């Protein structure tokens, strides 16, 4: 028997020390076609260009209420709060994120496998898709904290071993998004450029990076160039709507001093042809709840 | 000789302990008339209703450049940085505000006494006006901090002894205000209601309140009611424009993770018929640079 060694070329090197640099994206953004449906050519073209698309009303009013009730119930459940897959803010002792909800909760398992979403993800990625990560996020009013600019793919590549940015996220809004309550901001077009970060990944980085960002955060000079070049889109929109965005979008959100909280369901779909290998820039892979190793196609 | 004791009735009690409560404003908002100029009846009516007005282009491009240069020069001057009237952020050692600029700096003394501003303030307040406070503010990109909801008048009444809200502020933008870089937010109409705060004023409160807000901050329940009732206006607008707002407006600003800083010149005009008495809810008045005792009419 001959052992076959698969050499994996790192097309998106990061966290190697040296100087920060920008690498052109090596892979197409949209890999499916309009013929597949459900989205038309114009929608796909917009996604290719901007790196995101919005869906005004993805879920029904009944579903919205159901999801909100479920979020509230989970956030108050002591067992959920104690789980390692739940992020609790130390200062307030309040739940901020609950991961892995597509595995642990029937309501969210169902929506994560719903054709309204899965068929769109399939169409963008041009293959079957599986769920790389899922969570619900809760950003309270008055004290909602910010999230600085980053590309999700940079982290998934460095720490989870995701080879290419053939992944798409959906954020389903459970509350209204105003310009003033810390909505998602995206630099449209930034997804076609990859910022190679400098600092190496610390051991067990995810334990603190879920609470505070560190490794992989782009340098201020490159971010300023990006903002000047691409601009910043502020994604307002009503509860029940959704945003789908490319895994390499440069995105962020400001803090929130208004009384209006923000919550959403967040699911990441990765192509079944893009399953993770060894991390490209971390001592070991992150836990299963951050980077699923179950590659069963969603919606099947 | 007979000593005359002037009894001052406190129409806006605050920081007395007990429960928070909302008191209807006891004084008119606009005390001048359209005949006086320079503003027309519609503009005055809008100010009365919303508690603020915007001026698209108040200063010239040359003035804008001059003010920016001056701000930069001052922020880098070690003597200015060491002055007690300058607020320096401990963490970054960077200048955030410089007070009393209408007294210490020729460029800003001039604009603070300019008829473009003073005549508008006179018209709103229906009398001669003097400068209660002035400052330049610098809110950096990436790490710009938020400012939670408050009424300036509540502080000026409690800590400076300003009897009634017959005062108006102007904020002249030296940078573009986008929805995403922490612009001023105002609850339109809130200026007709006064939120009486609960907690008493600590000794030397201003020393820490310039850096972090504390006493006089309204309770979350009342703020939520206000936001639901009045809504939130986000004041976007280009550099060189200005916002004038009533002293009792409920206002705030979010943090700023974008690369775009915000800076402005901020001047408070008070009616010469509304000069401060003893503080209504503080052990002693704040220093002169926060609450001027020079009542010389501006522009004279």
């Amino acid at each position: 028997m001959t052992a076959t060694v698969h050499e994996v070329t790192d097309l998106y090197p990061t966290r190697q020390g040296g100087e920060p640099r920008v690498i052109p994206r090596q892979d197409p953004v949209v890999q499916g076609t309009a013929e597949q449906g459900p989205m038309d050519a114009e929608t796909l073209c917009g996604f290719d260009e901007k790196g995101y698309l919005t869906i005004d009303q993805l879920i029904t009013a009944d579903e919205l209420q159901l999801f909100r009730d479920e979020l509230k119930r989970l956030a108050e459940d002591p067992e959920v709060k104690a789980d390692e897959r739940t992020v609790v803010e130390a200062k307030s002792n309040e739940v901020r994120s609950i991961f892995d909800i597509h595995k642990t909760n029937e309501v969210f398992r169902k929506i994560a496998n719903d054709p309204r979403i899965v068929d769109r993800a399939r169409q963008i990625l041009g293959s079957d898709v599986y769920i790389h990560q899922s969570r619900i996020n809760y950003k309270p009013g008055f004290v909602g904290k910010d999230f600085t600019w980053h590309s999700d793919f940079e982290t998934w590549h460095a720490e989870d071993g995701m080879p290419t940015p053939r992944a798409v996220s959906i954020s389903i809004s459970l509350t209204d998004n105003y310009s003033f309550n810390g909505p998602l901001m995206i630099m449209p077009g930034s997804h076609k450029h990859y910022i190679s970060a400098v600092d190496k990944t610390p051991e067990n980085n995810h334990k603190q990076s879920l609470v505070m960002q560190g490794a992989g955060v782009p340098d201020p000079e490159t971010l300023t160039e990006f903002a000047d070049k691409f601009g910043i889109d502020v994604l307002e929109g009503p509860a029940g709507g959704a945003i789908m965005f490319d895994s390499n979008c440069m995105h962020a959100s400001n803090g929130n001093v208004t009384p209006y909280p923000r919550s959403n369901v967040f699911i990441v779909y990765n192509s079944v042809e893009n399953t993770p290998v060894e991390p490209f820039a971390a001592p070991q892979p992150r836990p299963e709840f951050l980077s699923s190793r179950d590659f069963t196609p969603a919606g099947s």
Side-chain angles (χ1 to χ4, degrees), chain A:
Chain A
M1 197 179 113
T2 317
T4 314
V5 178
H6 293 281
E7 279 246 355
V8 179
T9 310
D10 185 358
L11 297 171
Y12 301 96
T14 189
R15 309 189 195 182
Q16 316 276 343
E19 290 295 309
R21 61 195 172 109
V22 178
I23 301 168
R25 183 191 183 110
Q26 306 292 315
D27 298 270
V29 177
V30 174
Q31 310 215 11
T33 62
E35 286 64 45
Q36 285 175 247
M39 296 185 287
D40 61 17
E42 196 186 339
T43 306
L44 291 177
C45 187
F47 187 89
D48 177 65
E49 203 176 293
K50 295 197 292 180
Y52 74 88
L53 61 85
T54 56
I55 302 161
D56 289 345
Q57 214 59 37
L58 177 79
I59 56 173
T60 66
D62 284 349
E63 285 174 317
L64 177 60
Q65 193 54 52
L66 176 70
F67 293 3
R68 281 177 171 168
D69 292 345
E70 199 63 7
L71 166 61
K72 189 163 184 291
R73 196 183 64 72
L74 289 173
E76 287 166 0
D77 182 335
E79 223 172 283
V80 172
K81 207 163 172 174
D83 197 292
E84 68 148 348
R85 292 167 293 187
T86 301
V87 177
V88 176
E89 191 185 57
K91 213 171 133 192
S92 65
N93 194 31
E94 277 182 26
V95 168
R96 292 290 173 258
S97 296
I98 305 170
F99 282 83
D100 233 10
I101 45 150
H102 74 289
K103 289 183 185 163
T104 58
N105 182 283
E106 189 46 33
V107 168
F108 296 118
R109 188 200 63 72
K110 209 174 146 200
I111 190 71
N113 286 280
D114 190 287
R116 283 169 289 181
I117 303 175
V118 176
D119 288 353
R120 284 176 161 104
R122 273 199 194 113
Q123 194 182 8
I124 290 170
L125 303 180
S127 70
D128 268 344
V129 299
Y130 74 94
I131 297 167
H132 175 69
Q133 187 193 95
S134 72
R135 60 181 193 262
I136 43 184
N137 291 314
Y138 180 76
K139 183 172 192 166
F142 298 115
V143 296
K145 84 180 242 322
D146 57 35
F147 227 79
T148 63
W149 299 96
H150 65 288
S151 148
D152 288 333
F153 171 66
E154 194 278 341
T155 297
W156 300 338
H157 183 67
E159 303 189 29
D160 299 340
M162 187 185 282
T164 73
R166 194 174 172 185
V168 62
S169 301
I170 189 164
S171 171
I172 308 169
S173 301
L174 302 188
T175 47
D176 292 333
N177 298 297
Y178 305 102
S179 73
F180 51 67
N181 66 341
L184 183 65
M185 301 186 288
I186 291 181
M187 296 187 188
S190 61
H191 64 303
K192 295 197 177 174
H193 308 266
Y194 178 77
I195 303 181
S196 175
V198 173
D199 293 344
K200 299 201 174 173
T201 314
E203 191 85 20
N204 275 319
N205 182 50
H206 73 273
K207 287 203 179 161
Q208 75 109 14
S209 74
L210 293 181
V211 182
M212 206 173 74
Q213 293 167 282
V217 168
D219 60 291
E221 290 72 26
T222 308
L223 281 178
T224 305
E225 277 167 36
F226 266 48
D228 288 345
K229 184 170 174 183
F230 301 115
I232 294 171
D233 285 355
V234 176
L235 299 183
E236 299 187 85
I243 303 155
M244 294 184 82
F245 60 104
D246 181 86
S247 60
N248 191 45
C249 266
M250 196 47 61
H251 62 289
S253 64
N254 277 317
N256 175 22
V257 300
T258 78
Y260 302 114
R262 281 185 66 244
S263 55
N264 58 58
V265 179
F266 188 86
I267 311 161
V268 182
Y269 297 90
N270 188 22
S271 167
V272 293
E273 297 165 14
N274 191 41
T275 53
V277 294
E278 287 303 298
F280 287 88
Q284 67 268 323
R286 300 192 301 171
E288 177 86 25
F289 73 91
L290 294 172
S291 173
S292 177
R293 259 65 183 171
D294 176 355
F295 307 136
T296 312
S300 59

